[in-house]
Amino acid sequence: MKNISNKTASDKLIFALDADNYKNALSWVDILSGHVGMFKVGKELFTAFGPKIVKSIKERNQKVFLDLKFHDIPNTVAGAAQAAVRLNVDMFNVHASGGSQMIKEAVFSRLGLC
C-alpha cells in the first residue's frame, strides 16, 4: 500500500479553541504548538475577538481552521471567503445546504477568480 501522506499523526489533529477568553485561548495555543496541526476558531471565539484572535495565532506560526460555516446568499459567502483568505486562514468551511452556486462562488473567490 502506497503512503500518500508524509504528515505525522499530530499534523492531522485540529484542536478546538472553545475558550471563553482571549488569554485562555492563546494559552492553549502556546501549550499545544508543535503537538497539533491546526487550531479551530469557531463562532463564539471569533465573534468575541474577531480577526485579532486569528492574527495572534498566525503570529505564533500556527495554522488556523476558521469554523464559521459560511451560509448565505452566494455573493455574501464569496465576500466572507475573500475576507478569510485575507486573514491567511489555512482552512474554512462552507455549509453545503447553501447550494451549489454559493459553494462555487466561495471557491472562485478563494482562488481569486471573482
Side-chain angles (χ1 to χ4, degrees):
M1 177 184 246
K2 183 178 178 182
N3 183 357
I4 61 172
S5 174
N6 59 1
K7 293 184 176 184
T8 65
S10 62
D11 290 335
K12 298 176 185 179
L13 292 174
I14 299 173
F15 184 80
L17 289 172
D18 294 333
D20 57 357
N21 67 59
Y22 183 79
K23 288 178 99 173
N24 194 14
L26 291 181
S27 175
W28 281 112
V29 173
D30 292 338
I31 291 167
L32 294 173
S33 290
H35 301 286
V36 300
M38 194 174 297
F39 293 93
K40 180 189 79 104
V41 173
K43 289 182 179 185
E44 291 178 58
L45 189 60
F46 191 79
T47 300
F49 304 106
K52 177 182 174 183
I53 190 67
V54 172
K55 290 175 185 176
S56 293
I57 296 167
K58 296 301 289 184
E59 286 171 355
R60 288 166 166 75
N61 296 314
Q62 299 303 305
K63 293 182 178 180
V64 173
F65 165 32
L66 187 60
D67 183 22
L68 300 182
K69 299 171 188 75
F70 296 145
H71 180 267
D72 208 315
I73 61 172
N75 188 53
T76 299
V77 172
Q82 289 173 344
V85 169
R86 284 191 300 272
L87 280 176
N88 198 30
V89 300
D90 299 277
M91 180 168 62
F92 63 87
N93 54 4
V94 176
H95 202 292
S97 69
S100 61
Q101 187 62 36
M102 182 195 75
I103 294 169
K104 285 177 191 174
E105 291 197 30
V107 169
F108 290 145
S109 72
R110 171 71 173 99
L111 297 173
L113 301 174
C114 69

